[in-house]
Amino acid sequence: MATAPQPTRDDFAKMLEDSLGGEEAFEGRVVTGRVTGIENDMAIIDVGLKSEGRVPLREFAPPGQKAELSAGDEVEVYVDRVENANGEAMLSRDRARREAAWDRLETEYNDTARVEGQIFGRVKGGFTVDLGGAVAFLPGSQVDVRPVRDVTPLMGIPQPFQILKMDRKRGNIVVSRRAILEETRAEQRSDLIQSLTEGQVVEGVVKNITDYGAFVDLGGIDGLLHVTDMSYKRVGHPSEILSISDTVKVQIIRINRETQRISLGMKQLEADPWDGVMAKYEVGQKATGRVTNITDYGAFVELEDGIEGLVHVSEMSWTKKNVHPGKIVSTSQEVEVVILEVDEEKRRISLGLKQAQSNPWSDFAERYPVGTIVEGEVKNATEFGLFVGLEGDVDGMVHMSDIAWGVSGEEALEMHHKGETVKAVVLDVDAEKERISLGMKQLDQAPEGAAALSVGSGVRKGDVVTGEVVDVRDGGVEVSLDGGVTTGFIRRSDLSRDRDEQRPERFQVGQKVDALVTGFDRSKKPNLSIKALQITEEKEAVKQYGSSDSGASLGDILGEALGKAKDDGKS
């Protein structure tokens, strides 16, 4: 079989002449030529002009690779000039590839299509990419969805890019690899999120840890594992139980398919320690726990993994009031507490620290019954009495009327000062109200004529008593009972039923008055009322001698009652 003759130089010339219409039309065009020889690193190419051109071999191979070219191969080259000073044609393979690439890339750019290229070099601010002849710029921020420290593994590998911008006149092309990855990732996220369901248990890898939780990669989409869903026990910071790159098993709690947000949980895979908590912890039961957190309002105590209770500041100490909880307990301290309240629905347990210790007021009452003489330091002097520090870190109060005989309360207070050591008699102990009443004057002999009164005895509410006015003040009058052993106070509003008679100045020291015991103050001193006595007597008189409804006037009724009282007295 005969071999077809190879085209000659004249044939190329004629073909070019026919297609281009003369040598002057060659310049600025891409033409087909034939390699006639290889000299060193140059290829000799005949394009049908008067002279051949020389093109570096590196222009016939991708960056960093060796050209595979031999005599007789046909190639496309760009004719820069028909003839240079040496009489040779100025040809360029790079320019030919670039022109062809620009034509193709412009079409793909207009169609927003992906283009294939290879990263082959590093420049300031990014990298260079070969797009099949045209060189594009890849900014560092567009390499990946996350910052990439080492791009070496990505270089020289054909991969897709998205053209962000191109300007043929300036020869500028900007591409992005990140846009391709984000688009692919979005597709994967959409497919993945459709395959997930709430309650599903999946595995993931911890990607990032923040103060409020951790982000877990579920294989193309991230879910948030909030710190409160990591464990039933208190977690100060997510890093306490998780590290980046950890593989964890989680449960999908919520999925928002519109925003593609996924909430995850770890503790949901464990048994809830609060189930049946009321059976395990009964009110009044003692328990031991560890202090996990201290706040201004109390301390949290962990009774077991996942079960915490709050010791309110008011339940921390019997004697230390208005003290920051941090001064009573410390973090990680083991403490004994008493269960005060359990609310399984709200997942709350109220604890008491002081209840696990004996009540110092009850202890004091056992060791020092009423009538016992005690000694202590005056901790504070107020306008109504002295506070004395006693054994067991408790305070007792000496009312100013119980400091000394024969002087007013104000004068008695001036006789003592803070820091002084004094002796007193225990008058009363109220453990429930945390009060101890003391008396100092009871240690001394009562004034002559005063009736003996055993400590702890006295008047009762509702009794009618007769006393002697010992002090007149703007707010009322102080009355001595039982020869001065006990004193009571009648407030201004209780001096009379008639408002015009509610004037303390109408009473004189030494005057005898009758009054009704209406109650007791903090120091167990009786509160007296002349007004209440008058009302009581009036009611009794009306009950015995008739009512005003029967036609008798109130004056007639009281007159008859007084008359009967006189007759009874004569008989």
Side-chain angles (χ1 to χ4, degrees), residues 378-420:
V378 177
K379 293 291 187 66
N380 194 20
T382 67
E383 60 182 7
F384 54 85
L386 304 175
F387 284 92
V388 179
L390 303 172
E391 183 181 337
D393 201 21
V394 296
D395 290 345
M397 193 195 78
V398 183
H399 191 268
M400 61 182 183
S401 61
D402 284 320
I403 295 177
W405 298 101
V407 296
S408 67
E410 289 80 1
E411 292 174 330
L413 284 172
E414 293 177 357
M415 297 167 58
H416 300 278
H417 59 273
K418 184 178 179 181
E420 178 185 357

mmCIF file of all heavy atoms in Angstrom, residues 378-420:
data_model
loop_
_atom_site.group_PDB
_atom_site.id
_atom_site.type_symbol
_atom_site.label_atom_id
_atom_site.label_comp_id
_atom_site.label_asym_id
_atom_site.label_seq_id
_atom_site.Cartn_x
_atom_site.Cartn_y
_atom_site.Cartn_z
ATOM 1 N N VAL A 378 -19.211 41.952 126.155
ATOM 2 C CA VAL A 378 -20.189 42.812 125.494
ATOM 3 C C VAL A 378 -19.747 43.011 124.038
ATOM 4 O O VAL A 378 -18.708 43.621 123.768
ATOM 5 C CB VAL A 378 -20.320 44.173 126.207
ATOM 6 C CG1 VAL A 378 -21.287 45.078 125.442
ATOM 7 C CG2 VAL A 378 -20.789 43.974 127.641
ATOM 8 N N LYS A 379 -20.520 42.439 123.110
ATOM 9 C CA LYS A 379 -20.171 42.538 121.691
ATOM 10 C C LYS A 379 -20.675 43.829 121.061
ATOM 11 O O LYS A 379 -20.052 44.383 120.163
ATOM 12 C CB LYS A 379 -20.782 41.340 120.921
ATOM 13 C CG LYS A 379 -20.174 39.999 121.307
ATOM 14 C CD LYS A 379 -18.741 39.910 120.820
ATOM 15 C CE LYS A 379 -18.172 38.513 121.032
ATOM 16 N NZ LYS A 379 -18.832 37.494 120.201
ATOM 17 N N ASN A 380 -21.816 44.304 121.573
ATOM 18 C CA ASN A 380 -22.397 45.500 120.976
ATOM 19 C C ASN A 380 -23.368 46.130 121.960
ATOM 20 O O ASN A 380 -24.026 45.440 122.740
ATOM 21 C CB ASN A 380 -23.136 45.137 119.680
ATOM 22 C CG ASN A 380 -23.469 46.366 118.853
ATOM 23 O OD1 ASN A 380 -22.870 47.422 119.020
ATOM 24 N ND2 ASN A 380 -24.453 46.231 117.976
ATOM 25 N N ALA A 381 -23.438 47.449 121.960
ATOM 26 C CA ALA A 381 -24.378 48.187 122.800
ATOM 27 C C ALA A 381 -25.312 48.957 121.879
ATOM 28 O O ALA A 381 -24.875 49.755 121.049
ATOM 29 C CB ALA A 381 -23.631 49.138 123.727
ATOM 30 N N THR A 382 -26.614 48.701 122.018
ATOM 31 C CA THR A 382 -27.604 49.373 121.179
ATOM 32 C C THR A 382 -28.451 50.284 122.045
ATOM 33 O O THR A 382 -28.276 50.354 123.265
ATOM 34 C CB THR A 382 -28.503 48.349 120.472
ATOM 35 O OG1 THR A 382 -29.309 47.675 121.454
ATOM 36 C CG2 THR A 382 -27.668 47.311 119.729
ATOM 37 N N GLU A 383 -29.426 50.943 121.437
ATOM 38 C CA GLU A 383 -30.258 51.886 122.177
ATOM 39 C C GLU A 383 -31.236 51.183 123.106
ATOM 40 O O GLU A 383 -31.863 51.820 123.955
ATOM 41 C CB GLU A 383 -31.027 52.773 121.201
ATOM 42 C CG GLU A 383 -31.943 52.000 120.269
ATOM 43 C CD GLU A 383 -32.656 52.899 119.285
ATOM 44 O OE1 GLU A 383 -32.336 54.103 119.234
ATOM 45 O OE2 GLU A 383 -33.527 52.393 118.571
ATOM 46 N N PHE A 384 -31.389 49.851 122.942
ATOM 47 C CA PHE A 384 -32.333 49.149 123.807
ATOM 48 C C PHE A 384 -31.682 48.075 124.678
ATOM 49 O O PHE A 384 -32.356 47.402 125.453
ATOM 50 C CB PHE A 384 -33.450 48.499 122.984
ATOM 51 C CG PHE A 384 -32.955 47.606 121.894
ATOM 52 C CD1 PHE A 384 -32.630 46.288 122.143
ATOM 53 C CD2 PHE A 384 -32.807 48.097 120.613
ATOM 54 C CE1 PHE A 384 -32.184 45.466 121.136
ATOM 55 C CE2 PHE A 384 -32.365 47.279 119.591
ATOM 56 C CZ PHE A 384 -32.041 45.955 119.851
ATOM 57 N N GLY A 385 -30.375 47.868 124.557
ATOM 58 C CA GLY A 385 -29.741 46.889 125.420
ATOM 59 C C GLY A 385 -28.334 46.516 125.000
ATOM 60 O O GLY A 385 -27.740 47.131 124.111
ATOM 61 N N LEU A 386 -27.805 45.484 125.674
ATOM 62 C CA LEU A 386 -26.438 45.002 125.424
ATOM 63 C C LEU A 386 -26.487 43.597 124.837
ATOM 64 O O LEU A 386 -27.275 42.757 125.279
ATOM 65 C CB LEU A 386 -25.650 44.966 126.738
ATOM 66 C CG LEU A 386 -25.542 46.262 127.540
ATOM 67 C CD1 LEU A 386 -24.837 45.979 128.871
ATOM 68 C CD2 LEU A 386 -24.808 47.343 126.756
ATOM 69 N N PHE A 387 -25.621 43.323 123.844
ATOM 70 C CA PHE A 387 -25.473 41.977 123.303
ATOM 71 C C PHE A 387 -24.184 41.384 123.854
ATOM 72 O O PHE A 387 -23.110 41.979 123.729
ATOM 73 C CB PHE A 387 -25.440 42.011 121.773
ATOM 74 C CG PHE A 387 -26.791 42.215 121.161
ATOM 75 C CD1 PHE A 387 -27.252 43.485 120.854
ATOM 76 C CD2 PHE A 387 -27.620 41.133 120.907
ATOM 77 C CE1 PHE A 387 -28.501 43.680 120.305
ATOM 78 C CE2 PHE A 387 -28.879 41.305 120.350
ATOM 79 C CZ PHE A 387 -29.325 42.588 120.044
ATOM 80 N N VAL A 388 -24.326 40.234 124.481
ATOM 81 C CA VAL A 388 -23.188 39.602 125.161
ATOM 82 C C VAL A 388 -22.841 38.299 124.452
ATOM 83 O O VAL A 388 -23.715 37.457 124.208
ATOM 84 C CB VAL A 388 -23.547 39.316 126.635
ATOM 85 C CG1 VAL A 388 -22.374 38.641 127.338
ATOM 86 C CG2 VAL A 388 -23.949 40.603 127.344
ATOM 87 N N GLY A 389 -21.572 38.116 124.112
ATOM 88 C CA GLY A 389 -21.114 36.889 123.470
ATOM 89 C C GLY A 389 -21.026 35.750 124.466
ATOM 90 O O GLY A 389 -20.433 35.899 125.547
ATOM 91 N N LEU A 390 -21.638 34.603 124.103
ATOM 92 C CA LEU A 390 -21.677 33.471 125.018
ATOM 93 C C LEU A 390 -21.023 32.249 124.393
ATOM 94 O O LEU A 390 -20.668 32.247 123.197
ATOM 95 C CB LEU A 390 -23.132 33.156 125.380
ATOM 96 C CG LEU A 390 -23.930 34.309 126.005
ATOM 97 C CD1 LEU A 390 -25.392 33.918 126.115
ATOM 98 C CD2 LEU A 390 -23.356 34.693 127.364
ATOM 99 N N GLU A 391 -20.881 31.201 125.161
ATOM 100 C CA GLU A 391 -20.284 29.957 124.678
ATOM 101 C C GLU A 391 -21.136 29.371 123.546
ATOM 102 O O GLU A 391 -22.367 29.452 123.560
ATOM 103 C CB GLU A 391 -20.202 28.959 125.834
ATOM 104 C CG GLU A 391 -19.526 27.646 125.457
ATOM 105 C CD GLU A 391 -19.494 26.673 126.623
ATOM 106 O OE1 GLU A 391 -19.574 27.137 127.776
ATOM 107 O OE2 GLU A 391 -19.403 25.459 126.372
ATOM 108 N N GLY A 392 -20.467 28.787 122.559
ATOM 109 C CA GLY A 392 -21.180 28.219 121.419
ATOM 110 C C GLY A 392 -21.364 29.218 120.301
ATOM 111 O O GLY A 392 -22.167 28.997 119.384
ATOM 112 N N ASP A 393 -20.661 30.343 120.379
ATOM 113 C CA ASP A 393 -20.698 31.369 119.343
ATOM 114 C C ASP A 393 -22.102 31.959 119.175
ATOM 115 O O ASP A 393 -22.541 32.273 118.066
ATOM 116 C CB ASP A 393 -20.215 30.787 118.009
ATOM 117 C CG ASP A 393 -19.737 31.868 117.051
ATOM 118 O OD1 ASP A 393 -19.399 32.972 117.529
ATOM 119 O OD2 ASP A 393 -19.724 31.616 115.831
ATOM 120 N N VAL A 394 -22.829 32.075 120.295
ATOM 121 C CA VAL A 394 -24.147 32.698 120.275
ATOM 122 C C VAL A 394 -24.098 33.958 121.122
ATOM 123 O O VAL A 394 -23.211 34.137 121.969
ATOM 124 C CB VAL A 394 -25.233 31.739 120.797
ATOM 125 C CG1 VAL A 394 -25.367 30.536 119.886
ATOM 126 C CG2 VAL A 394 -24.934 31.293 122.234
ATOM 127 N N ASP A 395 -25.085 34.832 120.903
ATOM 128 C CA ASP A 395 -25.180 36.074 121.658
ATOM 129 C C ASP A 395 -26.450 36.065 122.497
ATOM 130 O O ASP A 395 -27.487 35.519 122.089
ATOM 131 C CB ASP A 395 -25.225 37.288 120.719
ATOM 132 C CG ASP A 395 -23.898 37.516 120.023
ATOM 133 O OD1 ASP A 395 -22.895 36.940 120.470
ATOM 134 O OD2 ASP A 395 -23.881 38.263 119.020
ATOM 135 N N GLY A 396 -26.371 36.677 123.659
ATOM 136 C CA GLY A 396 -27.542 36.895 124.498
ATOM 137 C C GLY A 396 -27.760 38.391 124.645
ATOM 138 O O GLY A 396 -26.822 39.183 124.528
ATOM 139 N N MET A 397 -29.015 38.814 124.882
ATOM 140 C CA MET A 397 -29.286 40.239 125.008
ATOM 141 C C MET A 397 -29.774 40.582 126.408
ATOM 142 O O MET A 397 -30.645 39.897 126.966
ATOM 143 C CB MET A 397 -30.340 40.679 123.996
ATOM 144 C CG MET A 397 -30.411 42.205 123.890
ATOM 145 S SD MET A 397 -31.889 42.828 123.073
ATOM 146 C CE MET A 397 -33.084 42.662 124.371
ATOM 147 N N VAL A 398 -29.184 41.636 126.943
ATOM 148 C CA VAL A 398 -29.624 42.186 128.226
ATOM 149 C C VAL A 398 -30.408 43.447 127.918
ATOM 150 O O VAL A 398 -29.841 44.446 127.444
ATOM 151 C CB VAL A 398 -28.428 42.518 129.153
ATOM 152 C CG1 VAL A 398 -28.942 43.023 130.510
ATOM 153 C CG2 VAL A 398 -27.526 41.314 129.328
ATOM 154 N N HIS A 399 -31.721 43.402 128.130
ATOM 155 C CA HIS A 399 -32.524 44.590 127.868
ATOM 156 C C HIS A 399 -32.116 45.680 128.855
ATOM 157 O O HIS A 399 -31.702 45.397 129.994
ATOM 158 C CB HIS A 399 -34.013 44.260 128.009
ATOM 159 C CG HIS A 399 -34.911 45.352 127.497
ATOM 160 N ND1 HIS A 399 -35.390 46.346 128.322
ATOM 161 C CD2 HIS A 399 -35.390 45.598 126.254
ATOM 162 C CE1 HIS A 399 -36.157 47.155 127.606
ATOM 163 N NE2 HIS A 399 -36.169 46.716 126.340
ATOM 164 N N MET A 400 -32.236 46.929 128.422
ATOM 165 C CA MET A 400 -31.752 48.025 129.270
ATOM 166 C C MET A 400 -32.480 48.073 130.607
ATOM 167 O O MET A 400 -31.931 48.550 131.617
ATOM 168 C CB MET A 400 -31.894 49.358 128.525
ATOM 169 C CG MET A 400 -33.308 49.729 128.154
ATOM 170 S SD MET A 400 -33.323 51.287 127.233
ATOM 171 C CE MET A 400 -35.070 51.524 127.000
ATOM 172 N N SER A 401 -33.709 47.531 130.648
ATOM 173 C CA SER A 401 -34.448 47.532 131.921
ATOM 174 C C SER A 401 -33.941 46.461 132.872
ATOM 175 O O SER A 401 -34.316 46.441 134.044
ATOM 176 C CB SER A 401 -35.940 47.315 131.650
ATOM 177 O OG SER A 401 -36.147 46.058 131.019
ATOM 178 N N ASP A 402 -33.091 45.540 132.350
ATOM 179 C CA ASP A 402 -32.562 44.461 133.190
ATOM 180 C C ASP A 402 -31.079 44.634 133.489
ATOM 181 O O ASP A 402 -30.415 43.703 133.924
ATOM 182 C CB ASP A 402 -32.765 43.106 132.500
ATOM 183 C CG ASP A 402 -34.205 42.637 132.591
ATOM 184 O OD1 ASP A 402 -34.798 42.817 133.657
ATOM 185 O OD2 ASP A 402 -34.723 42.116 131.590
ATOM 186 N N ILE A 403 -30.557 45.852 133.282
ATOM 187 C CA ILE A 403 -29.128 46.065 133.531
ATOM 188 C C ILE A 403 -28.861 46.393 135.002
ATOM 189 O O ILE A 403 -27.953 45.832 135.620
ATOM 190 C CB ILE A 403 -28.585 47.180 132.611
ATOM 191 C CG1 ILE A 403 -28.671 46.742 131.138
ATOM 192 C CG2 ILE A 403 -27.141 47.525 132.977
ATOM 193 C CD1 ILE A 403 -28.236 47.807 130.157
ATOM 194 N N ALA A 404 -29.646 47.319 135.554
ATOM 195 C CA ALA A 404 -29.377 47.749 136.943
ATOM 196 C C ALA A 404 -30.659 48.224 137.594
ATOM 197 O O ALA A 404 -31.609 48.659 136.933
ATOM 198 C CB ALA A 404 -28.316 48.843 136.964
ATOM 199 N N TRP A 405 -30.694 48.137 138.972
ATOM 200 C CA TRP A 405 -31.831 48.611 139.754
ATOM 201 C C TRP A 405 -31.732 50.121 139.965
ATOM 202 O O TRP A 405 -30.653 50.689 140.033
ATOM 203 C CB TRP A 405 -31.860 47.957 141.127
ATOM 204 C CG TRP A 405 -32.021 46.459 141.130
ATOM 205 C CD1 TRP A 405 -31.051 45.545 141.308
ATOM 206 C CD2 TRP A 405 -33.238 45.747 140.977
ATOM 207 N NE1 TRP A 405 -31.565 44.280 141.266
ATOM 208 C CE2 TRP A 405 -32.926 44.374 141.065
ATOM 209 C CE3 TRP A 405 -34.578 46.115 140.775
ATOM 210 C CZ2 TRP A 405 -33.891 43.386 140.958
ATOM 211 C CZ3 TRP A 405 -35.525 45.124 140.682
ATOM 212 C CH2 TRP A 405 -35.185 43.778 140.763
ATOM 213 N N GLY A 406 -32.876 50.766 140.037
ATOM 214 C CA GLY A 406 -32.925 52.145 140.504
ATOM 215 C C GLY A 406 -32.459 53.199 139.534
ATOM 216 O O GLY A 406 -32.363 54.373 139.907
ATOM 217 N N VAL A 407 -32.151 52.852 138.322
ATOM 218 C CA VAL A 407 -31.741 53.856 137.330
ATOM 219 C C VAL A 407 -32.547 53.624 136.064
ATOM 220 O O VAL A 407 -33.085 52.534 135.823
ATOM 221 C CB VAL A 407 -30.226 53.768 137.013
ATOM 222 C CG1 VAL A 407 -29.405 54.104 138.236
ATOM 223 C CG2 VAL A 407 -29.869 52.400 136.479
ATOM 224 N N SER A 408 -32.600 54.652 135.235
ATOM 225 C CA SER A 408 -33.310 54.507 133.965
ATOM 226 C C SER A 408 -32.501 53.614 133.020
ATOM 227 O O SER A 408 -31.296 53.401 133.221
ATOM 228 C CB SER A 408 -33.544 55.871 133.314
ATOM 229 O OG SER A 408 -32.302 56.444 132.920
ATOM 230 N N GLY A 409 -33.181 53.128 131.985
ATOM 231 C CA GLY A 409 -32.504 52.262 131.023
ATOM 232 C C GLY A 409 -31.344 52.954 130.334
ATOM 233 O O GLY A 409 -30.276 52.361 130.128
ATOM 234 N N GLU A 410 -31.524 54.260 129.978
ATOM 235 C CA GLU A 410 -30.452 55.000 129.304
ATOM 236 C C GLU A 410 -29.235 55.138 130.209
ATOM 237 O O GLU A 410 -28.091 55.003 129.765
ATOM 238 C CB GLU A 410 -30.954 56.386 128.872
ATOM 239 C CG GLU A 410 -31.942 56.369 127.718
ATOM 240 C CD GLU A 410 -33.358 56.011 128.158
ATOM 241 O OE1 GLU A 410 -33.557 55.793 129.378
ATOM 242 O OE2 GLU A 410 -34.243 55.924 127.287
ATOM 243 N N GLU A 411 -29.487 55.402 131.496
ATOM 244 C CA GLU A 411 -28.373 55.543 132.443
ATOM 245 C C GLU A 411 -27.664 54.210 132.636
ATOM 246 O O GLU A 411 -26.434 54.149 132.750
ATOM 247 C CB GLU A 411 -28.897 56.060 133.796
ATOM 248 C CG GLU A 411 -29.409 57.488 133.740
ATOM 249 C CD GLU A 411 -30.054 57.927 135.042
ATOM 250 O OE1 GLU A 411 -30.622 57.040 135.744
ATOM 251 O OE2 GLU A 411 -29.986 59.099 135.365
ATOM 252 N N ALA A 412 -28.441 53.123 132.634
ATOM 253 C CA ALA A 412 -27.834 51.793 132.808
ATOM 254 C C ALA A 412 -26.932 51.448 131.623
ATOM 255 O O ALA A 412 -25.857 50.848 131.798
ATOM 256 C CB ALA A 412 -28.927 50.744 132.967
ATOM 257 N N LEU A 413 -27.363 51.828 130.412
ATOM 258 C CA LEU A 413 -26.545 51.549 129.222
ATOM 259 C C LEU A 413 -25.216 52.273 129.277
ATOM 260 O O LEU A 413 -24.184 51.755 128.828
ATOM 261 C CB LEU A 413 -27.312 51.956 127.949
ATOM 262 C CG LEU A 413 -28.432 51.021 127.501
ATOM 263 C CD1 LEU A 413 -29.220 51.640 126.351
ATOM 264 C CD2 LEU A 413 -27.849 49.674 127.054
ATOM 265 N N GLU A 414 -25.210 53.486 129.820
ATOM 266 C CA GLU A 414 -23.985 54.273 129.886
ATOM 267 C C GLU A 414 -22.975 53.690 130.872
ATOM 268 O O GLU A 414 -21.806 54.063 130.869
ATOM 269 C CB GLU A 414 -24.325 55.711 130.283
ATOM 270 C CG GLU A 414 -25.118 56.454 129.202
ATOM 271 C CD GLU A 414 -25.505 57.856 129.647
ATOM 272 O OE1 GLU A 414 -25.207 58.210 130.816
ATOM 273 O OE2 GLU A 414 -26.108 58.580 128.834
ATOM 274 N N MET A 415 -23.427 52.774 131.720
ATOM 275 C CA MET A 415 -22.536 52.182 132.717
ATOM 276 C C MET A 415 -21.652 51.080 132.119
ATOM 277 O O MET A 415 -20.716 50.616 132.770
ATOM 278 C CB MET A 415 -23.372 51.581 133.859
ATOM 279 C CG MET A 415 -24.178 52.635 134.617
ATOM 280 S SD MET A 415 -25.432 51.894 135.706
ATOM 281 C CE MET A 415 -24.430 50.853 136.747
ATOM 282 N N HIS A 416 -21.930 50.639 130.857
ATOM 283 C CA HIS A 416 -21.172 49.538 130.246
ATOM 284 C C HIS A 416 -20.709 49.924 128.844
ATOM 285 O O HIS A 416 -21.262 50.838 128.212
ATOM 286 C CB HIS A 416 -22.039 48.276 130.196
ATOM 287 C CG HIS A 416 -22.495 47.816 131.548
ATOM 288 N ND1 HIS A 416 -21.706 47.064 132.385
ATOM 289 C CD2 HIS A 416 -23.675 48.021 132.211
ATOM 290 C CE1 HIS A 416 -22.368 46.806 133.504
ATOM 291 N NE2 HIS A 416 -23.564 47.386 133.424
ATOM 292 N N HIS A 417 -19.683 49.219 128.377
ATOM 293 C CA HIS A 417 -19.110 49.545 127.066
ATOM 294 C C HIS A 417 -18.727 48.257 126.315
ATOM 295 O O HIS A 417 -18.586 47.179 126.918
ATOM 296 C CB HIS A 417 -17.889 50.440 127.222
ATOM 297 C CG HIS A 417 -16.795 49.808 128.049
ATOM 298 N ND1 HIS A 417 -16.758 49.922 129.425
ATOM 299 C CD2 HIS A 417 -15.717 49.048 127.697
ATOM 300 C CE1 HIS A 417 -15.708 49.263 129.894
ATOM 301 N NE2 HIS A 417 -15.064 48.713 128.877
ATOM 302 N N LYS A 418 -18.540 48.384 125.043
ATOM 303 C CA LYS A 418 -18.166 47.259 124.183
ATOM 304 C C LYS A 418 -16.794 46.713 124.586
ATOM 305 O O LYS A 418 -15.864 47.463 124.847
ATOM 306 C CB LYS A 418 -18.139 47.709 122.721
ATOM 307 C CG LYS A 418 -17.857 46.602 121.720
ATOM 308 C CD LYS A 418 -17.907 47.154 120.292
ATOM 309 C CE LYS A 418 -17.605 46.059 119.294
ATOM 310 N NZ LYS A 418 -17.631 46.573 117.894
ATOM 311 N N GLY A 419 -16.685 45.372 124.660
ATOM 312 C CA GLY A 419 -15.433 44.732 125.036
ATOM 313 C C GLY A 419 -15.363 44.374 126.507
ATOM 314 O O GLY A 419 -14.482 43.610 126.938
ATOM 315 N N GLU A 420 -16.284 44.900 127.307
ATOM 316 C CA GLU A 420 -16.293 44.634 128.751
ATOM 317 C C GLU A 420 -16.820 43.219 129.023
ATOM 318 O O GLU A 420 -17.730 42.732 128.343
ATOM 319 C CB GLU A 420 -17.198 45.660 129.436
ATOM 320 C CG GLU A 420 -17.336 45.468 130.937
ATOM 321 C CD GLU A 420 -18.328 46.442 131.534
ATOM 322 O OE1 GLU A 420 -18.853 47.304 130.778
ATOM 323 O OE2 GLU A 420 -18.594 46.341 132.750
#
